[in-house]
Amino acid sequence: MAEHRWFETVAVAQERAKKRLPPSVYKALLAGSEKGVTYADNMAAFGELGFAPHVAGQPAERSLATRALDQDMSMPVMISPTGVQAVHPEGEVAVARAAAARGVAMGLSSFASKPVEEVVAANPQTFFQMYWMGGRDAMATRMERARAAGVVGVIATTDWSFSNGRDWGSPIIPARMDLRTMITRSPEAIRRPRWFLDFAKTGRPPELTAPNLGPEGSRAPGFFEAYGEWMQTPPPTWDDIAWMAEEWGGTFVLKGVCRVDDARRAVDAGVSAISVSNHGGNNLDSTPATIRCLPAVVEAVGDQIDVVLDGGVRRGSDVVKAVALGAKAALIGRAYLWGLAAGGQPGVENVLDVLRGGIDSALRGIGKADVHDLTPDDVLIPDGFLRTLGVSDPAYVMH
C-alpha cells in the first residue's frame, strides 16, 4: 500500500502523482490527443460557469444522495472506466474498494488490468465497459462473463478514435512487461523508488494485459494486442448498438454522445442512458467540452433516459454545475487516477471526499438543501457558452 497523506484538492493529488510516477506513466495519463484542445476545454469550460451565492438563510443540512443508472449512490459521482491502471499494484480493485467505501458506483474498463470477478467482489455496484471489437460473437461472450460476475450494467464506449499522437509527444508503452522490458525500463523506475517498491513488494511488474476480453481463466491478451483487435474491427452501426442493448437486457449506457441526433438515435436503439463524453479529450480533438454540449442533449432526451456527464470534473462545484444543467451524475477519470497514484485506495477515497466536500459547500453557498433541487437557474451561463450539435432546425439551437 502506498504511503498516503491527506490532500485537500485534486490538483494536489495530481502533483503528488507526478512526483511518484515514472515520467512515461505520468505522461500516459496526462492529456488528450493531438494539440489537447478538447482536454483543456473540458476543464476550462467549468470555470466559465458561475454561481451567485447567498449570504444568509442557507439550509443547515444538505442531502447529496441520488439515484442514477438504476443505482442508489451517496452523491452524484461515479467512477469512469479507465484502462490498465499501472499506477498502483492493486489498480482497479483498490479503486472499487474506495468507491464502495464512499457509496458510489464503479466503472470497469474491458482493458482493465484486474479481472471483473475481483472488482465486482470489491464493489457490487460495478458497471462493465466494452469497446466494439471482434464482432457480435465476441461481444456476447464478454457480456455473458460480465453477467455471470454480477455487474449491474454495461457501458458501451464509442467516443474513442485512433489518435495520431500528441503535440508534446506520446510516451512509449511496452506491449508486455517481459524481462527485457523490465531491464530497459529499470532506470526510469528506480528514479521513482516509492512507486518501484510498491510493485517490488508484490513480486510482479505492472500488469499490461487485458484479462476481461476472453472467458474467465483464459490467456489475457497484451494491451496492444487488444488495442489491435479494436482497431481492426469496423465501427459499430446503430443496429449493433441496438443488438447490444437487447442482448444485455439490463441497464445499458452509451458513452460518447455529444450530438442531439446521436442522442435521439440512442433512445431509438433502446439504451437505458447516455454519457455525454469525449473520452476525456482522447477522442477527436477540437470536440467541444462536454459541459457545453450537456444541456442540449438533456433537453432532447432527458425526459426519456438518464443522462450523465464525463469529462473535466476536478471539483465538487463541477459536479454541482453538471447536475444543475441536467446530468444525473458526473463521472470522474483522471481525478481518481491521481488519487490512486498518490495513495492507493486511501488516495481514491480522499479524492471522493474532496468532491463530496465541494458538492456540499456549493449547495450551501447557493442555498440548496438537496442535489435534486438544482436547476439551470442556479448556474450563470455566459453568452456563447453552449454548443448544440447535430440539429438541423435553427430554431432549436440553444443560446
Side-chain angles (χ1 to χ4, degrees), residues 24-45:
S24 63
V25 178
Y26 179 76
K27 286 179 68 176
L29 303 178
L30 181 60
S33 59
E34 297 186 332
K35 192 177 180 180
V37 172
T38 297
Y39 168 79
D41 194 35
N42 273 348
M43 292 179 288

Side-chain angles (χ1 to χ4, degrees), residues 51-71:
F51 293 123
H54 293 284
V55 295
Q58 298 99 322
E61 297 181 359
R62 277 83 49 198
S63 174
L64 277 60
T66 193
R67 184 173 178 81
L69 310 185
D70 299 318
Q71 297 298 306

Side-chain angles (χ1 to χ4, degrees), residues 235-264:
T237 65
W238 282 108
D239 285 343
D240 291 326
I241 298 299
W243 171 82
M244 282 188 73
E246 183 176 5
E247 181 75 13
W248 176 248
T251 304
F252 184 87
V253 185
L254 184 65
K255 181 175 179 288
V257 177
C258 290
R259 298 169 55 106
V260 169
D261 51 1
D262 281 351
R264 290 172 172 156

Side-chain angles (χ1 to χ4, degrees), residues 172-178 181 185 208-209 221-225:
I172 299 174
I173 302 174
R176 284 183 178 273
M177 287 300 274
D178 54 21
T181 300
R185 292 297 178 115
L208 299 179
T209 59
F223 176 81
F224 281 104
E225 182 181 343

Side-chain angles (χ1 to χ4, degrees), residues 133-183:
M133 50 190 293
R136 292 190 179 186
D137 288 345
M139 299 295 285
T141 298
R142 292 172 194 136
M143 279 191 276
E144 185 54 40
R145 177 178 173 184
R147 183 180 289 109
V151 305
V152 296
V154 161
I155 301 173
T157 292
T158 55
D159 59 342
W160 189 27
S161 58
F162 178 70
S163 171
N164 290 316
R166 300 171 174 177
D167 283 6
W168 49 90
S170 296
I172 299 174
I173 302 174
R176 284 183 178 273
M177 287 300 274
D178 54 21
L179 179 61
R180 181 177 181 180
T181 300
M182 287 189 282
I183 292 172

Side-chain angles (χ1 to χ4, degrees), residues 291-317:
I291 192 67
R292 300 185 192 277
C293 303
L294 174 67
V297 173
V298 169
E299 182 175 305
V301 301
D303 60 343
Q304 302 172 72
I305 59 174
D306 280 0
V307 178
V308 296
L309 176 132
D310 190 327
V313 175
R314 300 292 188 273
R315 300 167 183 83
S317 58

Side-chain angles (χ1 to χ4, degrees), residues 27-364:
K27 286 179 68 176
L29 303 178
L30 181 60
S33 59
E34 297 186 332
K35 192 177 180 180
V37 172
T38 297
Y39 168 79
D41 194 35
N42 273 348
M43 292 179 288
F46 279 107
E48 295 179 30
L49 297 171
F51 293 123
H54 293 284
V55 295
Q58 298 99 322
E61 297 181 359
R62 277 83 49 198
S63 174
L64 277 60
T66 193
R67 184 173 178 81
L69 310 185
D70 299 318
Q71 297 298 306
D72 293 319
M73 294 181 288
S74 67
M75 59 179 169
V77 174
M78 296 176 58
I79 298 295
S80 188
T82 61
V84 189
Q85 295 175 10
V87 300
H88 188 275
E90 294 182 338
E92 295 85 0
V93 172
V95 176
R97 289 174 181 154
R102 295 301 183 263
V104 301
M106 169 76 183
L108 177 70
S109 172
S110 56
F111 281 7
S113 61
K114 301 297 184 184
V116 61
E117 293 79 13
E118 293 183 20
V119 175
V120 173
N123 188 337
Q125 288 184 298
T126 293
F127 287 81
F128 184 63
Q129 174 269 348
M130 304 178 70
Y131 295 100
W132 182 260
M133 50 190 293
R136 292 190 179 186
D137 288 345
M139 299 295 285
T141 298
R142 292 172 194 136
M143 279 191 276
E144 185 54 40
R145 177 178 173 184
R147 183 180 289 109
V151 305
V152 296
V154 161
I155 301 173
T157 292
T158 55
D159 59 342
W160 189 27
S161 58
F162 178 70
S163 171
N164 290 316
R166 300 171 174 177
D167 283 6
W168 49 90
S170 296
I172 299 174
I173 302 174
R176 284 183 178 273
M177 287 300 274
D178 54 21
L179 179 61
R180 181 177 181 180
T181 300
M182 287 189 282
I183 292 172
T184 57
R185 292 297 178 115
S186 59
E188 182 185 28
I190 291 171
R191 290 200 300 270
R192 295 292 190 268
R194 289 184 298 169
W195 179 87
F196 178 78
L197 287 174
D198 280 344
F199 282 95
K201 290 174 184 177
T202 70
R204 301 190 310 272
E207 298 173 83
L208 299 179
T209 59
N212 295 307
L213 293 179
E216 183 180 2
S218 63
R219 171 190 169 275
F223 176 81
F224 281 104
E225 182 181 343
Y227 187 78
E229 182 183 359
W230 168 75
M231 288 183 62
Q232 294 171 38
T233 303
T237 65
W238 282 108
D239 285 343
D240 291 326
I241 298 299
W243 171 82
M244 282 188 73
E246 183 176 5
E247 181 75 13
W248 176 248
T251 304
F252 184 87
V253 185
L254 184 65
K255 181 175 179 288
V257 177
C258 290
R259 298 169 55 106
V260 169
D261 51 1
D262 281 351
R264 290 172 172 156
R265 289 189 182 104
V267 171
D268 291 342
V271 308
S272 310
I274 57 177
S275 175
V276 178
S277 173
N278 51 39
H279 214 89
N282 272 307
N283 192 23
L284 182 63
D285 202 19
S286 296
T287 302
T290 52
I291 192 67
R292 300 185 192 277
C293 303
L294 174 67
V297 173
V298 169
E299 182 175 305
V301 301
D303 60 343
Q304 302 172 72
I305 59 174
D306 280 0
V307 178
V308 296
L309 176 132
D310 190 327
V313 175
R314 300 292 188 273
R315 300 167 183 83
S317 58
D318 296 342
V319 177
V320 169
K321 291 170 183 177
V323 174
L325 295 183
K328 294 290 186 181
L331 281 72
I332 60 170
R334 290 182 182 88
Y336 76 79
L337 290 175
W338 304 140
L340 180 64
Q345 178 183 336
V348 179
E349 293 173 358
N350 192 155
V351 164
L352 292 171
D353 290 342
V354 166
L355 294 177
R356 183 177 184 85
I359 296 169
D360 185 70
S361 178
L363 289 178
R364 174 173 176 160

